[in-house]
Coordinates of all heavy atoms in Angstrom, one line a residue:
F153 N 6.5 -7.2 7.7 CA 6.2 -5.9 8.4 C 7.5 -5.5 9.2 O 7.9 -4.3 9.1 CB 5.0 -6.0 9.3 CG 3.7 -6.4 8.6 CD1 2.9 -7.4 9.1 CD2 3.3 -5.8 7.4 CE1 1.7 -7.7 8.5 CE2 2.2 -6.1 6.8 CZ 1.3 -7.1 7.3
D154 N 8.0 -6.4 9.9 CA 9.1 -6.1 10.8 C 10.4 -5.6 10.0 O 11.1 -4.7 10.4 CB 9.5 -7.2 11.8 CG 8.3 -7.5 12.7 OD1 7.4 -6.7 12.8 OD2 8.4 -8.6 13.4
E155 N 10.7 -6.4 9.0 CA 11.8 -6.0 8.1 C 11.6 -4.6 7.5 O 12.6 -3.8 7.4 CB 12.0 -7.1 7.1 CG 12.6 -8.4 7.6 CD 12.5 -9.5 6.6 OE1 11.5 -9.6 5.8 OE2 13.5 -10.2 6.5
I156 N 10.4 -4.4 7.1 CA 10.1 -3.1 6.4 C 10.3 -1.9 7.4 O 11.0 -0.9 7.2 CB 8.6 -3.0 5.9 CG1 8.5 -4.0 4.7 CG2 8.2 -1.6 5.6 CD1 7.0 -4.2 4.3
I157 N 9.7 -2.1 8.6 CA 9.8 -1.0 9.7 C 11.3 -0.8 10.0 O 11.8 0.3 10.1 CB 9.0 -1.4 10.9 CG1 7.5 -1.2 10.6 CG2 9.4 -0.6 12.1 CD1 6.6 -1.8 11.6
S158 N 12.0 -1.9 10.2 CA 13.4 -1.8 10.6 C 14.2 -1.0 9.5 O 15.0 -0.1 9.8 CB 14.0 -3.2 10.8 OG 15.4 -3.1 11.1
Y159 N 14.0 -1.4 8.3 CA 14.8 -0.8 7.2 C 14.4 0.7 7.0 O 15.3 1.5 6.9 CB 14.5 -1.6 5.9 CG 15.3 -1.1 4.7 CD1 16.7 -1.4 4.6 CD2 14.7 -0.3 3.7 CE1 17.4 -0.9 3.6 CE2 15.5 0.1 2.6 CZ 16.9 -0.1 2.6 OH 17.6 0.3 1.5
L160 N 13.1 1.0 7.0 CA 12.7 2.4 6.8 C 13.2 3.3 7.9 O 13.6 4.4 7.7 CB 11.2 2.5 6.8 CG 10.5 1.8 5.5 CD1 9.0 1.9 5.7 CD2 10.9 2.5 4.2
S161 N 13.3 2.7 9.1 CA 13.7 3.6 10.3 C 15.2 3.9 10.2 O 15.6 4.7 11.0 CB 13.3 2.9 11.6 OG 14.2 1.8 11.9
I162 N 15.9 3.3 9.3 CA 17.3 3.8 9.1 C 17.3 5.2 8.5 O 18.1 6.0 8.8 CB 18.1 2.8 8.1 CG1 18.2 1.4 8.7 CG2 19.4 3.4 7.8 CD1 18.7 0.4 7.7
F163 N 16.3 5.4 7.7 CA 16.3 6.7 6.9 C 15.3 7.7 7.5 O 15.5 8.9 7.3 CB 15.9 6.4 5.4 CG 16.7 5.3 4.8 CD1 16.3 4.0 4.7 CD2 17.9 5.7 4.3 CE1 17.1 3.0 4.1 CE2 18.8 4.7 3.7 CZ 18.4 3.4 3.6
F164 N 14.2 7.2 8.1 CA 13.2 8.1 8.6 C 12.9 7.8 10.0 O 12.8 6.7 10.4 CB 11.8 7.9 7.8 CG 11.9 8.0 6.4 CD1 11.7 6.9 5.6 CD2 12.2 9.2 5.7 CE1 11.7 7.0 4.2 CE2 12.2 9.3 4.4 CZ 12.0 8.2 3.6
T165 N 12.7 8.9 10.8 CA 12.1 8.7 12.1 C 10.7 8.4 11.9 O 10.0 9.1 11.2 CB 12.3 10.0 12.9 OG1 13.6 10.3 13.1 CG2 11.6 9.9 14.3
L166 N 10.2 7.3 12.4 CA 8.8 6.9 12.3 C 8.1 7.5 13.4 O 8.6 7.6 14.6 CB 8.7 5.4 12.3 CG 9.3 4.7 11.1 CD1 9.2 3.2 11.2 CD2 8.8 5.2 9.7
K167 N 6.9 8.0 13.1 CA 6.1 8.7 14.2 C 4.7 8.1 14.3 O 4.2 7.5 13.3 CB 6.0 10.2 13.8 CG 7.3 10.9 13.8 CD 7.2 12.4 13.3 CE 6.7 13.3 14.3 NZ 6.8 14.7 13.9
T168 N 4.1 8.3 15.4 CA 2.7 7.9 15.6 C 1.8 8.3 14.5 O 1.8 9.5 14.2 CB 2.2 8.4 17.0 OG1 3.1 7.9 18.0 CG2 0.8 7.8 17.3
G169 N 1.1 7.4 13.9 CA 0.1 7.8 12.9 C 0.7 7.7 11.5 O -0.1 7.7 10.5
D170 N 2.0 7.5 11.4 CA 2.5 7.2 10.0 C 1.9 5.9 9.5 O 1.7 5.0 10.2 CB 4.1 7.1 10.1 CG 4.8 8.4 10.3 OD1 4.1 9.5 10.2 OD2 6.0 8.4 10.5
L171 N 1.8 5.9 8.2 CA 1.2 4.8 7.5 C 2.2 4.1 6.5 O 2.9 4.9 5.8 CB 0.0 5.2 6.7 CG -1.2 5.8 7.5 CD1 -2.2 6.5 6.6 CD2 -1.9 4.7 8.4
I172 N 2.3 2.8 6.6 CA 3.2 2.1 5.6 C 2.3 1.2 4.7 O 1.7 0.3 5.2 CB 4.2 1.3 6.3 CG1 5.1 2.2 7.3 CG2 5.1 0.6 5.3 CD1 6.0 1.4 8.1
F173 N 2.3 1.5 3.5 CA 1.6 0.7 2.5 C 2.7 -0.4 2.1 O 3.8 0.0 1.7 CB 1.2 1.5 1.2 CG -0.1 2.3 1.4 CD1 -0.2 3.2 2.4 CD2 -1.1 2.1 0.5 CE1 -1.4 3.9 2.5 CE2 -2.3 2.8 0.6 CZ -2.5 3.7 1.6
T174 N 2.3 -1.7 2.3 CA 3.4 -2.7 2.3 C 3.6 -3.4 0.9 O 4.2 -4.5 0.9 CB 3.1 -3.7 3.4 OG1 1.8 -4.3 3.2 CG2 3.1 -3.1 4.8
G175 N 3.0 -2.9 -0.1 CA 3.2 -3.5 -1.4 C 2.0 -4.3 -1.9 O 1.2 -4.7 -1.2
T176 N 2.0 -4.4 -3.2 CA 0.8 -5.0 -3.9 C 1.1 -6.4 -4.5 O 2.3 -6.6 -5.0 CB 0.2 -4.1 -4.9 OG1 -1.1 -4.5 -5.2 CG2 1.0 -4.1 -6.2
P177 N 0.2 -7.3 -4.4 CA 0.4 -8.6 -5.1 C 0.1 -8.4 -6.6 O -0.3 -7.3 -7.1 CB -0.6 -9.5 -4.4 CG -1.7 -8.7 -4.0 CD -1.0 -7.3 -3.6
A178 N 0.2 -9.5 -7.4 CA -0.1 -9.5 -8.8 C -1.5 -9.1 -9.0 O -2.4 -9.2 -8.1 CB 0.3 -10.8 -9.4
G179 N -1.8 -8.8 -10.3 CA -3.2 -8.5 -10.7 C -3.6 -7.1 -10.8 O -4.7 -6.7 -10.9
V180 N -2.6 -6.2 -10.7 CA -2.9 -4.7 -10.8 C -3.5 -4.5 -12.2 O -3.2 -5.3 -13.1 CB -1.6 -3.9 -10.6 CG1 -1.0 -4.1 -9.3 CG2 -0.6 -4.1 -11.7
G181 N -4.3 -3.5 -12.3 CA -4.9 -3.2 -13.5 C -5.6 -1.8 -13.5 O -5.7 -1.2 -12.5
P182 N -6.1 -1.4 -14.7 CA -6.7 -0.1 -14.8 C -8.1 0.1 -14.2 O -8.8 -0.9 -14.1 CB -6.8 0.1 -16.3 CG -6.9 -1.3 -16.9 CD -6.2 -2.2 -15.9
V183 N -8.4 1.3 -13.8 CA -9.8 1.6 -13.5 C -10.3 2.6 -14.5 O -9.6 3.3 -15.2 CB -9.9 2.2 -12.0 CG1 -9.5 1.2 -11.0 CG2 -9.0 3.5 -11.9
K184 N -11.7 2.6 -14.5 CA -12.3 3.6 -15.4 C -13.5 4.2 -14.6 O -13.9 3.6 -13.5 CB -12.8 3.0 -16.7 CG -13.7 1.9 -16.5 CD -14.1 1.4 -17.9 CE -15.1 0.2 -17.9 NZ -15.5 -0.5 -16.7
V185 N -14.0 5.4 -15.0 CA -15.1 6.0 -14.3 C -16.3 5.0 -14.3 O -16.6 4.4 -15.3 CB -15.5 7.3 -15.1 CG1 -16.7 7.9 -14.5 CG2 -14.3 8.3 -15.0

Side-chain angles (χ1 to χ4, degrees):
F153 300 134
D154 294 351
E155 288 169 316
I156 290 169
I157 287 170
S158 177
Y159 184 75
L160 291 177
S161 75
I162 297 170
F163 306 97
F164 305 114
T165 299
L166 297 178
K167 296 174 78 174
T168 302
D170 285 352
L171 298 166
I172 303 174
F173 281 58
T174 57
T176 198
V180 301
V183 292
K184 58 179 184 348
V185 172

